[in-house]
Structures are given as C-alpha cells and as structure tokens.
Amino acid sequence: MGYVKTAILMAAMTALFTGIGYLLGGAGGAMIALVVAAGMNVVTWWNSDKLVLRMHGAEPVTRGDRMGLHAMTAELARNAGLPEPKLYLIDIPQPNAFATGRNPANAAVAVTTGLLRDLTREELAGVIAHELAHIRNHDTAIMTVTATFAGAISMLANFALFFGGSRERMGLIGTLALMFLAPFAAALVQMAISRTREYAADKAGAEICGNPLWLASALEKIAVGAARIDNHAAERNPATAHLFIINPLHAHKHDNLFATHPATENRIAALRAMAGQGRTAPAAQSVRRGVPSMRKRGGPWG
C-alpha cells in the first residue's frame, strides 16, 4: 500500500503543478509545469532520501563506531527481518530521529546527538526499532516523497507571489490564495498519512525491540527535549517534520500547520497498555544479548 499511496501522491502533485502552471501561464505554462513535474517525480523517487539527509546536515556513521549504533541496529534489523539500514548522525542538541529511503534495501536511519546524550541504550533501541518499523511497513517511501513535494509546493507558491499569472486568469487575490493554500494543501497531505502510521510503527517497534516501555520512556524524553530545544534545520524545512519520531517544530509557529503526529501521551499510553499485556519479552532479551553496555556510562556512550 505504501507504493500505491506514493504513486497516487506523485500523480496528484503532477496534476497540481500542471494546474498551477496553467493559472500562471496558460497552456504554455501548463506544459512547462508538466515537464518540471515529470522531472521532479524521477529525481524525487531516486534521490529524495539524499535530499532530506542533506537538508538536515546528516553525516554517515561508520561501522565499528564507538557508540555501538551499528551493532545495536544490526541486532534490531535481524529481529525485524530487514537488511541493516545506513546510519546517519545529525549534530544538533534536540533529541530526535527519522527514517528515510524508497524501500528497505535503500533505507537510512538518522539520529541526533541530542538523542544519544539524553536516552539510555534501551530507550535508543526503542527509537531505532520504531524507525525500522517504518521501513518494514514501507512508510518511508511516501514519507520522504511527501517531504520533497511539500517543500516544492511551498517554493512554487512563493514563485506565484513574485511572478503572478495574468490578471485575467488569476489576479492578485488568486495569487495570494495560491501562496497560502498550496502549503496548506501539502500539510493536509502529510496529516492524512501520518497519524495512524505512527501508532502502527510504535506497536511494531515495540515488538522489534522487545519491550514497549523502552519506546514509551524514549518518547517521553524526546517530547520534553523537542519542546524546549530548537531544531533549526527542521524550522527551515518544516515540510520534513512528519519524518521525525516527535514533531521537531516549535520555534517559528510552524507546528500548528505541520502538526502531523498524534498526541505523545496517547502513544505512550498505548505502549504501556502493550507492556501490561506482557508482550514481546523474548525479543528484548535478544537485543540485550546482542548489544553490550545497554546502560549509558558517562559521556555520549564512551
């Protein structure tokens, strides 16, 4: 279903671009917009993950890293029945993480330095398991493509403000409406694909790591950190907010428009209910055996 939704989104965005092109430039504008949209579809499908990682200044984590991220992720990926994704580190103090990539064979997980600083190893395992769940559920394709298209729609709306169509086709009111409604439409698309997806990834992530309370505790800490620490890259690129495990926006009033996540307290309650049912304990023991030093010991994992 993830690929079907992605194809539908690409078709919808192509139609939207073509319509906007017509409003701005008539038949000629529509043809130019169609060509641009087709090119964007190709570039977005093959390179959207790289674009998103670059937006956030993510750097690859090498194998054998002293933090043990690769060892932990490899064990969790085995639990999930997935190939190990590429790992990236984002040097920002806000605790957060996201997954990207068009399919499980070309997936990546990015975590922030703030996440490594604030979470225990068990909590970090819960977060990585959540991101692996997105990869296994094929969420990352539509998540990443949506982020790229939403950013492009916002850019197109700004172009409309400066270049405007002919007054016969749009007029000043139409141009201003386009400037405000196009980003809003992109946000609606994000909200439509995000909320139930997060609950599903929480549930599957708890099963992958083996203990729902690890992820519940991590979400609690991340929510507190994300609310008080700015994520400047996310604020500059609010269309990528839905990728993160917790909404990273709060500094520039984007969070209402791009509120793509369900309430954190509801997610935590669902995970605690899972724990109360005694679910998934064997996987937790597997993760603990496969990853040394599951507790944080002074410094960022030293």
Side-chain angles (χ1 to χ4, degrees):
M1 284 302 295
Y3 292 133
V4 172
K5 288 181 180 179
T6 303
I8 292 172
L9 177 64
M10 285 182 162
M13 292 301 103
T14 300
L16 177 60
F17 267 63
T18 304
I20 292 173
Y22 179 79
L23 289 173
L24 293 176
M31 184 59 63
I32 293 172
L34 180 61
V35 172
V36 171
M40 279 191 60
N41 282 339
V42 174
V43 172
T44 298
W45 178 250
W46 291 103
N47 295 295
S48 55
D49 55 339
K50 299 179 183 66
L51 293 173
V52 169
L53 290 166
R54 193 175 301 123
M55 285 179 190
H56 292 277
E59 296 291 337
V61 178
T62 58
R63 290 192 175 276
D65 61 285
R66 68 185 183 87
M67 298 172 289
L69 283 177
H70 272 287
M72 174 187 291
T73 304
E75 179 65 27
L76 291 167
R78 282 192 290 272
N79 288 350
L82 291 170
E84 184 184 350
K86 296 176 182 176
L87 287 174
Y88 288 82
L89 187 64
I90 304 172
D91 187 15
I92 59 170
Q94 183 189 91
N96 229 317
F98 66 82
T100 184
R102 64 183 181 274
N103 55 40
N106 296 276
V109 173
V111 299
T112 68
T113 52
L115 193 79
L116 302 183
R117 179 199 64 216
D118 292 349
L119 268 56
T120 66
R121 299 284 297 202
E122 290 92 342
E123 292 163 348
L124 180 61
V127 170
I128 293 177
H130 170 97
E131 301 306 336
L132 290 174
H134 279 310
I135 294 169
R136 191 173 68 181
N137 293 343
H138 296 277
D139 292 333
T140 51
I142 191 168
M143 289 162 64
T144 308
V145 167
T146 299
T148 307
F149 271 129
I153 291 172
S154 298
M155 180 181 67
L156 189 63
N158 289 329
F159 282 156
L161 176 66
F162 289 105
F163 297 106
S166 67
R167 290 191 177 274
E168 293 78 12
R169 291 192 183 89
M170 281 187 72
L172 178 60
I173 294 176
T175 302
L176 291 174
L178 177 64
M179 185 185 72
F180 289 106
L181 291 178
F184 181 67
L188 288 178
V189 171
Q190 292 177 31
M191 285 188 284
I193 66 172
S194 295
R195 293 180 182 274
T196 57
R197 187 197 68 229
E198 290 302 326
Y199 284 116
D202 285 345
K203 180 177 182 293
E207 293 168 351
I208 291 168
C209 74
N211 191 326
L213 294 180
W214 292 358
L215 180 55
S217 179
L219 290 176
E220 202 164 27
K221 288 184 179 179
I222 296 169
V224 171
R228 65 181 178 82
I229 302 172
D230 292 350
N231 183 331
H232 297 294
E235 298 289 351
R236 288 193 300 271
N237 304 283
T240 65
H242 67 288
L243 293 172
F244 287 84
I245 189 169
I246 293 288
N247 189 353
L249 306 176
H250 70 90
H252 299 301
K253 307 302 181 184
H254 292 304
D255 51 326
N256 289 331
L257 184 60
F258 292 93
T260 57
H261 297 70
T264 303
E265 55 268 26
N266 293 342
R267 296 169 66 185
I268 292 171
L271 288 164
R272 287 176 175 164
M274 277 186 73
Q277 296 167 9
R279 302 278 290 275
T280 66
Q285 295 304 317
S286 171
V287 171
R288 275 204 167 103
R289 284 195 302 270
V291 183
S293 184
M294 290 295 290
R295 298 299 299 182
K296 186 175 178 181
R297 294 184 181 176
W301 306 113

